[in-house]
Amino acid sequence: MLTKDIRQTIDNARDVLVGKIPNPQSQIEQITIAMIYKFMDDMDLESVEFGGERQYFVEELEKYSWTKIMSSQLGNDDRMKLYKEALEKLPLSNQIPKLFRNIFKDAYLPFNDSKTLTLFLKEIDDLSYSNSENLGNGFEYLLSIMGSQGDAGQFRTPRHIIDFIVNVVQPKKTDTILDPACGTAGFLISAYKYILQNAKDNNQVLTPAELTTLTENIQGYDISPDMVKLALVNMYLHKFKDPKIYEYDTLTSTTRWENYFDCVLANPPFMTPKGGIQPHNKFGVKANRSEVLFVDYIMEHINSTGKAGIVVPEGIVFQSANAYKELRKKLVDENNLYAVVSLPSGVFNPYAGVKTSILLLDKQLAKRTDKILFVEIKQDGYDLGAQRRETPDKNDLPEALELLNKWQDSIKTQSEFQTESKLVTIVEKSKLAEGGEYNLTASRYKETQDYSNCKWEMVKLGEICNIAR
């Protein structure tokens, strides 16, 4: 749980930087670099305390230790000079683990005000590596400040939507798990926490060997080196000692094409980048829209018993262009899709008003039913304004989760799915296929009530009452 002190420290650090670095992502990068810098020194001090030796700040790096950077005997200008030198030296030193070298790669200080740097570093100095769980939560809070990378069509998925999807997909401790457009690794961290909590709830706490296997089985790809850095830190702070996060272009590279997974969780980019995409010829659906290609990629890369939860723009579910129809046909006819969840249009506010849905894939479940469940979320526990204020009494997500779990159980047991919920529409796959559109919009298939055989006579409203205008 995020403590008030850690949240305040992060807010204070941002407040110091905002006058010099107005861009939120740049602020996050500077805080990330400083946090890891201090953590390495904390680990060195801890090692010495327990009778060991320093591991990182030794030999030619000794003079750059955080302790010496923060010495009260050092003036502001000298501190800035030393800090800048350190940012140049750390990514080049072989005594620094590759994980940290990657984080420090291309790092630099984007301002020259030594007093501001001292104020900033003093805030970071209040953070301690001794409680990495709190620091991990603090780092996730820091990442929540960063909303969108609009030019790349990337929007940070709200935490409650990530957790909802993970709770529906139910990753297992033995699953290999991938996010092919991982950003800051939100889905991967949520899956990890879900598995740990599920084990605890069932009195089956994971053994050290199982924990090691779990962390090795969780992987993420991202095309952006900045996102990779943030994801590495996020996972490291959540006890992944060797995070499997790779800088990788999922849509144009083939070097990881042969890697398949039990579980895929993703909110891939929603657009065609400037200049377009030049995908390789391994995709089953020919398209230049990134959201189409990512869904196709995920279908191709979950194994025969695999499952997935994917956030997609609303266009995927109804647009009539050939690539969209071909993708939907593949989802339905090849037994990938078993449910679709429609989200409110303001979920990504204030960064984007894009309407989204969640595609839920499970190759085993989809083979065992000739129907698809549609769930319409009208309220997600937050108002749909720019500030997204919490409204706990207006939240369809708990009911939706219950319905989706019940739908899964009914397919597994081949029993009848019964519900009176207004959130649900069930449609036969054969009906979806009519006309070749495979439209995945629930409202298209809702039946209007036929009152022609009603036992009461049908009359015009004006014949039985006065209508005030």
Side-chain angles (χ1 to χ4, degrees):
M1 183 175 180
L2 177 62
T3 67
K4 183 178 179 180
D5 288 345
I6 289 178
R7 179 172 180 155
Q8 188 63 58
T9 296
I10 291 170
D11 286 341
N12 289 345
R14 288 190 64 240
D15 287 343
V16 171
L17 292 177
V18 72
K20 302 292 180 182
I21 311 175
N23 181 273
Q25 183 176 342
S26 297
Q27 296 166 13
I28 291 169
E29 289 170 0
Q30 291 302 314
I31 293 172
T32 299
I33 290 164
M35 285 173 67
I36 294 299
Y37 194 150
K38 182 178 188 295
F39 297 160
M40 287 194 299
D41 196 54
D42 283 351
M43 286 186 280
D44 271 354
L45 293 173
E46 184 180 78
S47 177
V48 171
E49 182 181 351
F50 287 98
E53 297 179 348
R54 281 183 170 270
Q55 180 179 356
Y56 306 118
F57 294 102
V58 295
E59 299 175 357
E60 71 272 11
L61 294 186
E62 183 179 359
K63 67 176 181 178
Y64 300 117
S65 73
W66 182 271
T67 305
K68 292 187 176 179
I69 288 275
M70 295 308 297
S71 170
S72 59
Q73 298 178 6
L74 208 60
N76 291 339
D77 291 343
D78 289 337
R79 178 174 294 109
M80 170 170 274
K81 180 181 177 182
L82 203 59
Y83 188 74
K84 284 184 173 182
E85 284 181 14
L87 296 186
E88 294 176 2
K89 299 286 186 181
L90 291 174
L92 302 176
S93 175
N94 288 329
Q95 67 199 49
I96 301 296
K98 184 178 180 181
L99 167 64
F100 296 151
R101 293 202 305 272
N102 287 340
I103 292 166
F104 285 109
K105 184 181 178 182
D106 299 324
Y108 71 100
L109 189 66
F111 59 86
N112 289 307
D113 185 335
S114 60
K115 184 176 180 181
T116 296
L117 177 64
T118 294
L119 291 173
F120 167 63
L121 297 182
K122 283 183 176 178
E123 294 296 341
I124 300 299
D125 199 44
D126 288 338
L127 297 172
S128 171
Y129 179 74
S130 61
N131 191 331
S132 60
E133 179 64 25
N134 276 341
L135 287 172
N137 292 333
F139 188 70
E140 286 195 67
Y141 165 68
L142 176 64
L143 295 178
S144 73
I145 297 161
M146 182 178 61
S148 70
Q149 306 302 308
D151 289 341
Q154 298 171 336
F155 301 95
R156 182 182 179 276
T157 317
R159 169 56 55 188
H160 66 294
I161 300 299
I162 289 177
D163 291 342
F164 170 76
I165 294 171
V166 170
N167 276 277
V168 173
V169 175
Q170 300 174 18
K172 299 176 182 177
K173 66 181 182 181
T174 55
D175 282 346
T176 51
I177 301 170
L178 173 72
D179 183 343
C182 68
T184 59
F187 273 109
L188 302 179
I189 297 298
S190 180
Y192 174 71
K193 288 183 174 180
Y194 172 87
I195 292 168
L196 294 184
Q197 187 62 50
N198 187 58
K200 181 179 178 182
D201 291 345
N202 290 287
N203 295 316
Q204 297 175 345
V205 178
L206 272 60
T207 65
E210 287 175 325
L211 276 170
T212 298
T213 299
L214 174 61
T215 58
E216 289 177 350
N217 282 346
I218 296 178
Q219 298 185 31
Y221 308 154
D222 203 280
I223 193 173
S224 165
D226 291 336
M227 289 297 105
V228 169
K229 284 183 181 181
L230 296 177
L232 286 170
V233 175
N234 198 11
M235 296 188 76
Y236 176 76
L237 292 177
H238 285 90
K239 301 183 180 179
F240 286 72
K241 295 306 180 186
D242 184 22
K244 309 300 182 185
I245 303 294
Y246 304 100
E247 185 180 333
Y248 181 71
D249 186 345
T250 303
L251 302 185
T252 63
S253 178
T254 61
T255 56
R256 296 183 179 276
W257 184 264
E258 301 303 325
N259 296 347
Y260 296 87
F261 296 84
D262 300 311
C263 177
V264 178
L265 302 158
N267 174 17
F270 290 175
M271 65 176 291
T272 302
K274 295 171 184 176
I277 297 172
Q278 296 181 335
H280 50 69
N281 59 8
K282 292 181 179 289
F283 286 96
V285 177
K286 305 306 177 185
N288 65 355
R289 294 289 301 184
S290 63
E291 64 267 28
V292 174
L293 293 169
F294 267 107
V295 175
D296 185 43
Y297 180 92
I298 291 167
M299 276 194 287
E300 294 283 348
H301 287 82
I302 50 175
N303 60 35
S304 60
T305 59
K307 53 197 176 183
I310 317 164
V311 180
V312 296
E314 199 73 349
I316 283 231
V317 304
F318 70 83
Q319 284 195 9
S320 59
N322 287 338
Y324 290 101
K325 288 193 290 186
E326 188 179 350
L327 180 72
R328 294 194 295 267
K329 184 180 190 309
K330 189 173 181 180
L331 281 164
V332 176
D333 285 356
E334 295 184 12
N335 293 318
N336 290 289
L337 185 71
Y338 73 94
V340 179
V341 178
S342 174
L343 295 173
S345 59
V347 163
F348 287 95
N349 278 342
Y351 312 109
V354 62
K355 179 80 170 67
T356 56
S357 292
I358 302 166
L359 302 180
L360 294 167
L361 282 56
D362 187 310
K363 292 189 176 182
Q364 285 188 312
L365 291 179
K367 285 178 183 177
R368 301 189 65 187
T369 179
D370 60 359
K371 301 179 179 69
I372 289 177
L373 179 75
F374 292 85
V375 181
E376 184 177 8
I377 306 294
K378 296 180 179 179
Q379 302 175 109
D380 68 335
Y382 295 82
D383 69 32
L384 300 179
Q387 299 301 316
R388 295 287 280 148
R389 295 183 177 87
E390 194 169 358
T391 55
D393 58 325
K394 298 178 180 179
N395 188 359
D396 296 330
L397 292 175
E399 181 183 352
L401 177 60
E402 184 178 344
L403 289 165
L404 286 159
N405 287 338
K406 188 176 179 181
W407 177 244
Q408 292 177 25
D409 290 341
S410 72
I411 297 173
K412 292 173 183 175
T413 60
Q414 294 294 285
S415 58
E416 185 179 358
F417 177 80
Q418 294 182 330
T419 181
E420 296 181 2
S421 174
K422 295 180 180 179
L423 302 181
V424 163
T425 304
I426 300 174
V427 185
E428 292 184 359
K429 294 178 183 178
S430 60
K431 191 169 186 65
L432 294 172
E434 290 177 0
E437 289 292 323
Y438 291 85
N439 191 298
L440 299 178
T441 307
S443 58
R444 179 169 177 148
Y445 304 100
K446 287 185 177 179
E447 297 180 1
T448 56
Q449 187 67 46
D450 182 5
Y451 291 100
S452 59
N453 295 319
C454 181
K455 66 180 180 179
W456 293 287
E457 182 183 357
M458 302 296 289
V459 297
K460 292 182 178 180
L461 188 60
E463 295 176 6
I464 58 173
C465 65
N466 293 321
I467 301 176
R469 297 183 186 277

